[in-house]
Amino acid sequence: MLNYIIKRLVASIVTLWVIATATFFLMHAIPGGPFDTEKPLPPQIKANLEEKFGLNKPLSEQYMMYMKNLLKGDLGPSLKYEGRTVNDIIAYSFPTSAKLGIVTVICSLLLGTYLGVTAALNQGKWQDQLVMVIATLGVTVPSFVLATFLIYVFAVKLSLLPAIGFEGPEYYVMPVMALGGYSLSFIARLTRSSLLDVIRQDYIRTAKAKGLSRNTVIYKHALRNALIPIVTYLGPLTAGILTGSFVIEKIFGIPGLGREFVTGIYNRDYSMIMGLTVFDSFLLITFNFIVDILYAIIDPRIKLEA
Amino acid sequence: MERLLEIKNLKTSFFTHVGEVKAVRGVSFHLDKGEALGIVGESGSGKSITMMSVMRLLADNGKIVDGEIWFNGRDLVKLSENEMQKIRGNEIGMIFQDPMTSLNPVLTIGDQLTEPLLKHKKMPKDKAIERAIEMLRLVGIPSPEKRIKQYPHEFSGGMRQRVMIAMALINEPKLLIADEPTTALDVTIQAQILELMKELKQKINTSIILITHDLGVVADVCNRINVMYGGLIVETGRTTDIFYNPKHPYTWGRLRSVPNPKTLVKERLKPIDGQPPDLLKPPAGCPFAPRCDYAMRVCMTHMPPLFEVGEQHKAACWLNHPDAPKVEAPVGRRHV
Ligand SMILES: Nc1ncnc2c1ncn2[C@@H]1O[C@H](COP(=O)(O)OP(=O)(O)O)[C@@H](O)[C@H]1O
Ligand SMILES: [Mg+2]
């Protein structure tokens, strides 16, 4: 177990390093720089700025500098926001994205499995058909369409919910629905098909032959097996949602990380792009790691061996 | 002897989009306390469905369309699902063909083994674990205290089938149904499992119904045998009747494809040519007639009744009619 964790840690660090390096050089390969504005800056000012952030040094030297700071967890100053570091910006906007993300993941996980189980246990009946319609819509309708639709209905027509901002529980409702629609539908479909597969297994027949009640058979014997594929999906899902969705944050005016990322790319804010990429990758790697451990807990056949 | 199970004219069908599959088409037999009954027949003959009807564990599209199943004084066909749950795993235990897939992979052996005790006997958890360990020891699993905490994948096929037997017998049921319990196992393990079942039958004082497609397996364990074909019992009798004086051409065919049970020497396996009947449209006459070397005109049009051919021996074949031509059985182990 300890061996496994150490190996995973080493692999994670290597992965992070590869991602950081690739991003660094790709980013610099894109034409244009952070100080190319519509109205060109006077050459002297631009030179001073580049001097200040070390952009005039050879690329290899910049790379070494960046890596050295990265090792210390220092993501550097933002090139665009005066006097703010990338660490500050993440510390400010990540909690917002994370709060929204956690609520979304929990809601779509609970509701998704509930809908999936209901559909599977009523296979072919109206409950099943209803869930399948919802789930199909959920995976096909893009989140911005869903968001716009929700705003139109709940904010404009019914005036029930605030359309913009992120200040209290009522501000969560629509972003969570828009952000979680896809994963909820995906989880519902996955749970349904997985559970339908599991209840045909021999060990379910064994459980019934022991005289166990229907609920014990479903919730103790079947569901745990049926959830194994869902756990696999949980890692990328959580990381993806926690790091914020640009579209959703933009539409609902939520000051989250997703918004910063896109603004950073647009501005060629090198250190922001680097910092957020490294941070997102870090989250993804961490959650996949957690999921692998969860996986081994839920399925005893999985051995955590490198 | 006291009667434990009496099945009268059981008919079970599956309702599919192509029509009604008549899997069991009027089966009657009985089992006395302390007996071991074998049900033999080729794949698809309705052996499992007959016993799954007794357990009332048919698939959603399956239904008992007619008949009675008297078990210990009650007609199981009439019981509610709740009442059936009190019988399953308590008064009737069941084990299945594939021990590799019959145990839940994510629950410990101890967890699965104690379930019938917790459910039916309302035993406290620690008592149940003690009893489970005792039961594992009884079925011959070494160091049960350690094994009880393990998961199914840590057991071999033979060991898993021992666990299944322990689980089915843990509440000392009056009846154990074993559906092809050795089919998926190696020959040497097969013999051990059969030996274990015989031994436990005495110790726990349970009756057994052993389903198999292999006559060789029942010879040693069962005192009576039902031979099934096309959803019907075509011959029934004491094991000695079936082996030494078979009266149905289908039984002859099956006996020819069995290794000698006494010597375990594999004779040349000779399968019976042809296809089993279509259960969507079962034939009016004897279901075996199209494959039978001795078929007469009457066999195609009229279903033969079960003719009494001995004290407890019956065969559903027109050859046993007093007016039928006398045919010498090509098999039977009279001279062994
Ligand atoms: N769920 C089902 N739907 C339709 N037909 C079924 C179903 N289960 C079993 N059958 C049919 O019932 C017949 C008897 O099956 P079974 O009792 O399992 O045979 P076996 O003698 O091999 O145990 C087979 O022809 C099988 O195809
Ligand atoms: Mg079968």
Side-chain angles (χ1 to χ4, degrees):
Chain A
M1 182 75 182
L2 191 66
N3 242 338
Y4 172 81
I5 292 177
I6 291 170
K7 280 192 183 155
R8 276 297 289 261
L9 271 177
V10 173
S12 304
I13 291 168
V14 173
T15 313
L16 266 181
W17 171 73
V18 170
I19 291 172
T21 307
T23 316
F24 186 89
F25 289 106
L26 280 174
M27 185 175 71
H28 281 277
I30 301 171
F35 309 117
D36 297 336
T37 43
E38 273 169 52
K39 203 167 95 222
L41 292 172
Q44 189 52 48
I45 295 182
K46 191 171 168 185
N48 283 346
L49 277 170
E50 289 187 341
E51 163 91 43
K52 179 180 167 199
F53 292 112
L55 294 179
N56 54 350
K57 300 212 177 75
L59 205 52
S60 58
E61 205 171 305
Q62 289 184 42
Y63 173 74
M64 291 311 290
M65 274 290 293
Y66 188 81
M67 284 297 157
K68 225 159 65 197
N69 289 332
L70 185 59
L71 275 181
K72 291 181 276 181
D74 176 4
L75 298 172
S78 163
L79 305 187
K80 280 286 180 168
Y81 295 110
E82 269 286 342
R84 293 180 69 193
T85 66
V86 177
N87 292 55
D88 288 340
I89 293 169
I90 291 178
Y92 172 75
S93 48
F94 176 61
T96 306
S97 290
K99 264 189 280 181
L100 179 61
I102 287 170
V103 173
T104 306
V105 168
I106 291 175
C107 287
S108 50
L109 190 62
L110 291 183
L111 198 59
T113 44
Y114 174 75
L115 290 179
V117 170
T118 309
L121 297 185
N122 295 288
Q123 195 192 2
K125 300 196 193 125
W126 67 266
Q127 296 95 326
D128 184 22
Q129 281 157 2
L130 182 68
V131 169
M132 286 312 277
V133 168
I134 295 173
T136 308
L137 280 177
V139 293
T140 45
V141 175
S143 61
F144 66 89
V145 175
L146 182 57
T148 318
F149 173 77
L150 289 171
I151 290 177
Y152 178 75
V153 174
F154 292 106
V156 179
K157 282 283 159 195
L158 303 174
S159 305
L160 274 176
L161 296 165
I164 299 279
F166 201 64
E167 280 137 43
E170 70 272 24
Y171 290 88
Y172 277 74
V173 180
M174 288 195 290
V176 164
M177 282 164 82
L179 191 58
Y182 179 87
S183 45
L184 173 134
S185 307
F186 191 84
I187 289 171
R189 294 169 70 109
L190 200 58
T191 308
R192 176 185 181 273
S193 63
S194 173
L195 188 58
L196 282 178
D197 181 52
V198 166
I199 53 184
R200 276 192 287 268
Q201 298 295 314
D202 288 347
Y203 54 82
I204 297 302
R205 182 182 58 189
T206 305
K208 289 181 187 162
K210 284 196 271 191
L212 302 177
S213 68
R214 180 183 150 93
N215 279 343
T216 313
V217 172
I218 297 293
Y219 292 102
K220 180 171 175 191
H221 284 265
L223 196 56
R224 198 156 152 206
N225 283 286
L227 287 181
I228 292 173
I230 289 137
V231 171
T232 326
Y233 171 63
L234 217 52
L237 168 75
T238 312
I241 285 185
L242 248 52
T243 49
S245 152
F246 165 69
V247 177
I248 297 300
E249 290 177 359
K250 191 87 183 166
I251 292 177
F252 292 103
I254 297 166
L257 209 54
R259 217 166 60 159
E260 298 295 352
F261 204 168
V262 177
T263 319
I265 294 173
Y266 183 73
N267 287 340
R268 295 279 191 286
D269 190 339
Y270 287 155
S271 45
M272 276 290 282
I273 300 174
M274 280 303 293
L276 292 181
T277 306
V278 170
F279 182 70
D280 284 6
S281 312
F282 170 76
L283 279 184
L284 187 65
I285 289 170
T286 309
F287 279 104
N288 276 333
F289 185 36
I290 293 173
V291 159
D292 283 347
I293 290 179
L294 262 182
Y295 206 55
I297 291 172
I298 196 169
D299 185 351
R301 286 163 299 183
I302 308 280
K303 279 271 165 296
L304 290 184
E305 271 157 21
Chain B
M1 258 204 266
E2 216 180 325
R3 190 103 334 155
L4 181 64
L5 179 71
E6 172 120 37
I7 297 184
K8 292 182 183 166
N9 194 31
L10 176 70
K11 293 183 181 165
T12 301
S13 292
F14 292 93
F15 296 87
T16 68
H17 59 281
V18 288
E20 179 183 354
V21 178
K22 293 178 175 151
V24 178
R25 303 195 286 138
V27 158
S28 304
F29 67 90
H30 69 87
L31 178 78
D32 288 332
K33 283 197 178 139
E35 263 195 313
L37 173 73
I39 302 184
V40 183
E42 64 189 26
S43 176
S45 55
K47 308 180 298 288
S48 300
I49 300 305
T50 302
M51 294 324 292
M52 288 309 256
S53 304
V54 171
M55 289 294 270
R56 295 266 312 273
L57 283 178
L58 298 167
D60 288 340
N61 63 336
K63 192 172 181 290
I64 297 174
V65 277
D66 197 12
E68 297 164 21
I69 301 172
W70 290 92
F71 174 77
N72 219 19
R74 290 201 285 175
D75 184 1
L76 300 188
V77 176
K78 300 226 163 62
L79 295 192
S80 69
E81 170 60 22
N82 262 336
E83 290 169 311
M84 271 317 294
Q85 281 175 10
K86 295 199 182 90
I87 289 179
R88 294 183 202 126
N90 192 27
E91 293 181 56
I92 307 179
M94 186 156 182
I95 59 175
F96 303 95
Q97 174 166 347
D98 194 350
M100 300 313 271
T101 55
S102 290
L103 288 163
N104 193 326
V106 304
L107 300 174
T108 63
I109 295 300
D111 199 354
Q112 299 185 59
L113 210 49
T114 50
E115 265 181 336
L117 295 166
L118 303 176
K119 158 96 191 185
H120 299 291
K121 302 284 188 248
K122 308 277 177 273
M123 216 181 245
K125 186 95 193 182
D126 52 333
K127 274 264 167 46
I129 289 172
E130 255 172 56
R131 167 92 179 114
I133 290 173
E134 184 191 317
M135 204 63 204
L136 282 181
R137 193 171 286 125
L138 195 64
V139 297
I141 289 184
S143 42
E145 295 86 353
K146 191 180 110 227
R147 299 293 255 168
I148 201 161
K149 298 195 192 81
Q150 295 183 335
Y151 290 92
H153 72 271
E154 296 168 82
F155 288 67
S156 67
M159 284 293 161
R160 285 193 214 185
Q161 199 59 300
R162 284 172 194 265
V163 171
M164 285 295 290
I165 293 174
M167 203 154 77
L169 293 180
I170 202 159
N171 280 337
E172 309 198 337
K174 297 185 182 73
L175 172 61
L176 172 69
I177 302 170
D179 190 348
E180 311 248 10
T182 60
T183 307
L185 302 173
D186 291 344
V187 182
T188 47
I189 315 277
Q190 279 188 15
Q192 291 171 12
I193 295 291
L194 290 176
E195 200 49 47
L196 175 68
M197 284 176 51
K198 273 200 320 197
E199 186 190 315
L200 289 177
K201 178 173 171 297
Q202 299 307 324
K203 279 193 188 150
I204 290 184
N205 197 18
T206 178
S207 311
I208 292 182
I209 293 181
L210 175 60
I211 300 176
T212 173
H213 63 274
D214 182 357
L215 262 170
V217 165
V218 287
D220 213 23
V221 181
C222 302
N223 22 32
R224 277 194 304 122
I225 296 174
N226 288 341
V227 181
M228 282 190 78
Y229 185 80
L232 295 167
I233 292 178
V234 293
E235 183 162 5
T236 173
R238 285 168 302 199
T239 304
T240 47
D241 297 329
I242 301 294
F243 273 89
Y244 298 109
N245 189 22
K247 289 291 188 189
H248 196 292
Y250 177 67
T251 315
W252 301 344
R254 285 228 72 86
L255 279 169
R256 244 176 305 176
S257 56
V258 178
N260 186 324
K262 292 284 181 289
T263 58
L264 271 175
V265 174
K266 278 260 182 206
E267 290 168 21
R268 193 164 47 93
L269 291 183
K270 191 167 174 298
I272 309 167
D273 292 333
Q275 292 292 314
D278 178 5
L279 295 174
L280 279 165
K281 266 204 244 146
C286 169
F288 187 59
R291 299 167 77 181
C292 181
D293 293 339
Y294 307 89
M296 302 171 288
R297 223 172 318 136
V298 61
C299 303
M300 301 295 180
T301 51
H302 290 77
M303 179 85 85
L306 274 166
F307 291 99
E308 296 252 2
V309 291
E311 198 194 328
Q312 295 185 52
H313 189 185
K314 291 180 199 158
C317 174
W318 285 117
L319 288 177
N320 299 295
H321 191 277
D323 297 341
K326 293 288 159 272
V327 174
E328 182 71 12
V331 283
R333 300 184 190 278
R334 285 163 231 226
H335 311 297
V336 175

Coordinates of all heavy atoms in Angstrom, one line a residue, chain B residues 12-16 18-24 39-52 58-62 97 179-180 211-213 228-231 276-280, ligand 1:
Chain B
T12 N -45.0 -24.4 -16.0 CA -44.4 -23.1 -15.9 C -44.1 -22.6 -17.3 O -43.5 -23.4 -18.1 CB -43.1 -23.2 -15.0 OG1 -43.5 -23.6 -13.7 CG2 -42.5 -21.8 -14.9
S13 N -44.4 -21.4 -17.5 CA -44.2 -20.8 -18.9 C -43.4 -19.5 -18.8 O -43.5 -18.8 -17.8 CB -45.5 -20.6 -19.6 OG -46.1 -21.8 -19.9
F14 N -42.8 -19.1 -19.8 CA -42.2 -17.8 -20.0 C -42.9 -17.1 -21.1 O -43.1 -17.7 -22.2 CB -40.7 -17.9 -20.3 CG -39.9 -18.4 -19.1 CD1 -39.6 -19.8 -19.0 CD2 -39.5 -17.6 -18.1 CE1 -39.0 -20.2 -17.9 CE2 -38.9 -18.0 -17.0 CZ -38.6 -19.4 -16.8
F15 N -43.3 -15.9 -20.8 CA -44.0 -15.1 -21.8 C -43.1 -14.2 -22.5 O -42.6 -13.2 -21.9 CB -45.2 -14.4 -21.2 CG -46.2 -15.5 -20.7 CD1 -46.1 -16.0 -19.4 CD2 -47.2 -16.0 -21.5 CE1 -47.0 -17.0 -18.9 CE2 -48.1 -16.9 -21.1 CZ -48.0 -17.4 -19.8
T16 N -42.7 -14.5 -23.7 CA -41.7 -13.7 -24.5 C -42.4 -13.0 -25.7 O -43.6 -13.3 -26.0 CB -40.6 -14.6 -25.0 OG1 -41.1 -15.5 -26.0 CG2 -40.0 -15.4 -23.9
V18 N -41.9 -13.6 -28.7 CA -42.3 -14.6 -29.7 C -43.3 -15.5 -29.3 O -43.8 -16.4 -30.1 CB -41.0 -15.4 -30.2 CG1 -40.1 -14.4 -31.0 CG2 -40.3 -16.0 -29.1
G19 N -43.8 -15.5 -28.0 CA -44.8 -16.4 -27.6 C -44.5 -17.0 -26.3 O -43.6 -16.6 -25.6
E20 N -45.4 -18.0 -25.9 CA -45.3 -18.6 -24.6 C -44.3 -19.8 -24.7 O -44.5 -20.7 -25.4 CB -46.7 -19.1 -24.2 CG -46.7 -19.8 -22.8 CD -48.0 -20.4 -22.5 OE1 -49.0 -20.1 -23.2 OE2 -48.1 -21.1 -21.4
V21 N -43.2 -19.7 -24.0 CA -42.3 -20.8 -23.9 C -42.7 -21.7 -22.8 O -42.6 -21.4 -21.6 CB -40.8 -20.3 -23.6 CG1 -39.9 -21.5 -23.5 CG2 -40.4 -19.3 -24.7
K22 N -43.2 -22.9 -23.1 CA -43.7 -23.9 -22.1 C -42.5 -24.7 -21.6 O -42.2 -25.8 -22.1 CB -44.8 -24.7 -22.7 CG -46.0 -23.9 -23.1 CD -47.1 -24.8 -23.7 CE -48.3 -24.0 -23.9 NZ -49.1 -24.4 -25.1
A23 N -41.9 -24.2 -20.6 CA -40.6 -24.8 -20.1 C -40.9 -26.0 -19.2 O -40.2 -27.0 -19.3 CB -39.9 -23.8 -19.2
V24 N -42.0 -26.0 -18.4 CA -42.4 -27.2 -17.7 C -43.9 -27.4 -18.0 O -44.7 -26.5 -17.9 CB -42.2 -26.9 -16.2 CG1 -42.7 -28.1 -15.3 CG2 -40.8 -26.6 -15.8
I39 N -32.6 -35.3 -10.5 CA -33.4 -34.9 -11.7 C -32.3 -34.8 -12.9 O -31.4 -34.0 -12.8 CB -34.1 -33.5 -11.6 CG1 -35.1 -33.6 -10.4 CG2 -34.8 -33.2 -12.8 CD1 -35.9 -32.4 -10.2
V40 N -32.5 -35.6 -13.9 CA -31.6 -35.8 -14.9 C -32.2 -35.4 -16.3 O -33.4 -35.7 -16.5 CB -31.0 -37.2 -15.0 CG1 -30.0 -37.4 -16.0 CG2 -30.5 -37.6 -13.6
G41 N -31.4 -34.8 -17.1 CA -32.0 -34.5 -18.5 C -31.0 -33.6 -19.2 O -30.2 -33.0 -18.5
E42 N -31.1 -33.5 -20.5 CA -30.2 -32.7 -21.2 C -30.5 -31.2 -21.0 O -31.6 -30.9 -20.4 CB -30.1 -33.0 -22.7 CG -31.4 -32.8 -23.4 CD -31.3 -33.3 -24.8 OE1 -30.6 -34.3 -25.1 OE2 -32.1 -32.8 -25.7
S43 N -29.6 -30.4 -21.4 CA -29.8 -28.9 -21.2 C -31.1 -28.4 -21.8 O -31.4 -28.8 -22.9 CB -28.6 -28.2 -21.8 OG -28.8 -26.8 -21.7
G44 N -31.9 -27.6 -21.1 CA -33.1 -27.1 -21.7 C -34.3 -28.0 -21.4 O -35.4 -27.7 -21.9
S45 N -34.2 -29.1 -20.7 CA -35.3 -30.0 -20.5 C -36.2 -29.5 -19.4 O -37.3 -30.1 -19.2 CB -34.8 -31.4 -20.2 OG -33.9 -31.4 -19.1
G46 N -35.9 -28.5 -18.7 CA -36.8 -27.9 -17.7 C -36.4 -28.2 -16.2 O -37.2 -28.0 -15.3
K47 N -35.3 -28.8 -16.0 CA -34.8 -29.2 -14.7 C -34.8 -28.0 -13.7 O -35.4 -28.0 -12.7 CB -33.5 -29.9 -14.7 CG -33.4 -31.0 -15.7 CD -32.0 -31.7 -15.7 CE -30.9 -30.8 -16.1 NZ -30.8 -30.4 -17.5
S48 N -34.0 -27.0 -14.2 CA -33.8 -25.8 -13.3 C -35.1 -25.1 -13.1 O -35.4 -24.7 -12.0 CB -32.8 -24.8 -13.9 OG -31.6 -25.5 -14.1
I49 N -35.9 -24.9 -14.2 CA -37.1 -24.2 -14.1 C -38.1 -24.9 -13.1 O -38.8 -24.2 -12.4 CB -37.7 -23.9 -15.4 CG1 -36.8 -23.1 -16.3 CG2 -39.1 -23.1 -15.3 CD1 -36.3 -21.8 -15.7
T50 N -38.1 -26.2 -13.1 CA -39.0 -26.9 -12.2 C -38.6 -26.5 -10.8 O -39.5 -26.2 -10.0 CB -38.8 -28.4 -12.4 OG1 -39.1 -28.8 -13.7 CG2 -39.7 -29.2 -11.4
M51 N -37.3 -26.5 -10.4 CA -36.9 -26.2 -9.1 C -37.0 -24.7 -8.8 O -37.2 -24.3 -7.6 CB -35.6 -26.8 -8.8 CG -35.5 -28.3 -8.8 SD -37.0 -29.2 -8.2 CE -37.0 -28.8 -6.4
M52 N -36.7 -23.9 -9.8 CA -36.9 -22.5 -9.5 C -38.4 -22.1 -9.3 O -38.7 -21.2 -8.6 CB -36.3 -21.7 -10.7 CG -34.8 -21.7 -10.8 SD -34.0 -21.2 -9.3 CE -33.5 -19.5 -9.6
L58 N -38.7 -17.3 -10.3 CA -38.6 -17.3 -11.8 C -38.3 -15.8 -12.2 O -38.5 -14.9 -11.5 CB -40.0 -17.7 -12.3 CG -40.4 -19.1 -12.0 CD1 -41.8 -19.4 -12.3 CD2 -39.5 -20.1 -12.7
A59 N -37.8 -15.7 -13.5 CA -37.6 -14.4 -14.0 C -38.9 -13.7 -14.1 O -40.0 -14.3 -14.0 CB -37.0 -14.5 -15.4
D60 N -38.9 -12.4 -14.3 CA -40.1 -11.6 -14.3 C -41.1 -12.0 -15.4 O -42.3 -11.9 -15.2 CB -39.8 -10.1 -14.6 CG -39.1 -9.4 -13.4 OD1 -39.2 -10.0 -12.3 OD2 -38.4 -8.4 -13.6
N61 N -40.6 -12.6 -16.5 CA -41.6 -13.0 -17.5 C -42.0 -14.5 -17.3 O -42.8 -15.0 -18.1 CB -41.0 -12.8 -18.9 CG -39.7 -13.7 -19.1 OD1 -39.1 -14.1 -18.1 ND2 -39.4 -14.0 -20.3
G62 N -41.6 -15.1 -16.3 CA -41.9 -16.5 -16.0 C -43.1 -16.6 -15.0 O -43.3 -15.7 -14.1
Q97 N -24.9 -23.9 -10.1 CA -23.9 -24.5 -11.0 C -22.5 -23.8 -10.8 O -21.5 -24.5 -10.6 CB -24.3 -24.4 -12.4 CG -23.3 -24.9 -13.4 CD -23.9 -25.1 -14.8 OE1 -25.1 -25.1 -15.0 NE2 -23.0 -25.2 -15.8
D179 N -28.4 -27.4 -7.9 CA -28.6 -27.4 -9.4 C -27.2 -27.5 -10.1 O -26.5 -26.5 -10.1 CB -29.3 -26.1 -9.7 CG -29.7 -26.0 -11.2 OD1 -29.3 -26.9 -12.0 OD2 -30.5 -25.1 -11.6
E180 N -26.9 -28.6 -10.6 CA -25.7 -28.9 -11.2 C -24.5 -28.4 -10.4 O -23.6 -27.7 -10.9 CB -25.6 -28.1 -12.6 CG -26.8 -28.4 -13.5 CD -26.6 -29.2 -14.7 OE1 -25.5 -29.8 -14.8 OE2 -27.5 -29.3 -15.5
I211 N -29.9 -31.8 -9.2 CA -30.2 -31.6 -10.7 C -28.8 -31.8 -11.4 O -27.8 -31.3 -11.0 CB -30.7 -30.2 -11.0 CG1 -32.0 -29.9 -10.2 CG2 -30.8 -30.0 -12.5 CD1 -32.5 -28.5 -10.4
T212 N -28.9 -32.6 -12.4 CA -27.6 -32.7 -13.2 C -28.0 -33.2 -14.6 O -29.0 -33.8 -14.9 CB -26.7 -33.7 -12.6 OG1 -25.6 -34.0 -13.4 CG2 -27.4 -35.0 -12.2
H213 N -27.1 -33.0 -15.6 CA -27.3 -33.5 -16.9 C -26.5 -34.8 -17.0 O -26.5 -35.5 -18.0 CB -26.9 -32.6 -18.0 CG -25.5 -32.2 -17.9 ND1 -24.9 -31.3 -17.1 CD2 -24.4 -32.8 -18.6 CE1 -23.6 -31.2 -17.3 NE2 -23.3 -32.2 -18.1
M228 N -35.9 -36.1 -17.1 CA -36.8 -35.1 -17.8 C -36.4 -34.9 -19.2 O -35.2 -35.0 -19.6 CB -36.7 -33.8 -17.1 CG -37.5 -33.7 -15.8 SD -37.6 -32.0 -15.1 CE -38.8 -31.3 -16.2
Y229 N -37.4 -34.6 -20.0 CA -37.2 -34.3 -21.4 C -38.3 -33.4 -21.9 O -39.5 -33.7 -21.7 CB -37.1 -35.6 -22.3 CG -36.7 -35.3 -23.7 CD1 -35.4 -35.1 -24.0 CD2 -37.7 -35.2 -24.7 CE1 -35.1 -34.8 -25.3 CE2 -37.4 -34.9 -26.0 CZ -36.0 -34.6 -26.3 OH -35.7 -34.3 -27.6
G230 N -37.9 -32.3 -22.6 CA -38.9 -31.5 -23.2 C -40.0 -30.9 -22.2 O -41.1 -30.8 -22.5
G231 N -39.6 -30.6 -21.0 CA -40.5 -30.1 -20.0 C -41.4 -31.1 -19.3 O -42.3 -30.7 -18.6
P276 N -33.8 -31.1 -29.4 CA -35.0 -31.1 -28.4 C -36.2 -30.4 -29.0 O -36.0 -29.6 -29.9 CB -34.4 -30.4 -27.2 CG -33.3 -29.6 -27.6 CD -32.7 -30.3 -28.8
P277 N -37.4 -30.7 -28.5 CA -38.6 -30.1 -29.0 C -38.6 -28.5 -28.8 O -38.0 -28.0 -27.9 CB -39.7 -30.7 -28.2 CG -39.1 -31.1 -27.0 CD -37.7 -31.5 -27.3
D278 N -39.3 -27.9 -29.7 CA -39.6 -26.5 -29.6 C -40.6 -26.2 -28.6 O -41.8 -26.6 -28.8 CB -40.0 -26.0 -31.0 CG -40.3 -24.5 -31.0 OD1 -40.0 -23.8 -30.0 OD2 -40.8 -24.0 -32.0
L279 N -40.2 -25.5 -27.5 CA -41.1 -25.4 -26.4 C -42.2 -24.3 -26.6 O -43.1 -24.1 -25.9 CB -40.4 -25.1 -25.1 CG -39.5 -26.3 -24.6 CD1 -38.6 -25.9 -23.5 CD2 -40.3 -27.5 -24.3
L280 N -42.0 -23.5 -27.7 CA -43.0 -22.5 -28.1 C -44.2 -23.3 -28.7 O -45.3 -22.8 -28.6 CB -42.4 -21.6 -29.2 CG -41.6 -20.4 -28.6 CD1 -40.8 -19.8 -29.8 CD2 -42.4 -19.4 -27.9
Ligands
LIG1 N1 -36.3 -16.3 -18.8 C1 -36.7 -17.1 -19.7 N2 -37.3 -16.7 -20.8 C2 -37.7 -17.6 -21.8 N3 -37.4 -18.9 -21.8 C3 -36.7 -19.4 -20.7 C4 -36.3 -18.5 -19.6 N4 -35.7 -19.3 -18.7 C5 -35.6 -20.5 -19.2 N5 -36.3 -20.6 -20.4 C6 -36.5 -21.8 -21.2 O1 -37.0 -22.8 -20.4 C7 -36.5 -24.1 -20.8 C8 -36.0 -24.9 -19.6 O2 -34.9 -24.3 -19.0 P1 -34.1 -24.9 -17.8 O3 -35.1 -25.4 -16.8 O4 -33.2 -23.9 -17.4 O5 -33.3 -26.1 -18.5 P2 -32.3 -27.1 -17.8 O6 -32.9 -28.4 -17.8 O7 -31.1 -27.0 -18.6 O8 -32.1 -26.6 -16.4 C9 -35.4 -23.8 -21.8 O9 -35.8 -24.1 -23.1 C10 -35.1 -22.3 -21.7 O10 -34.8 -21.8 -22.9

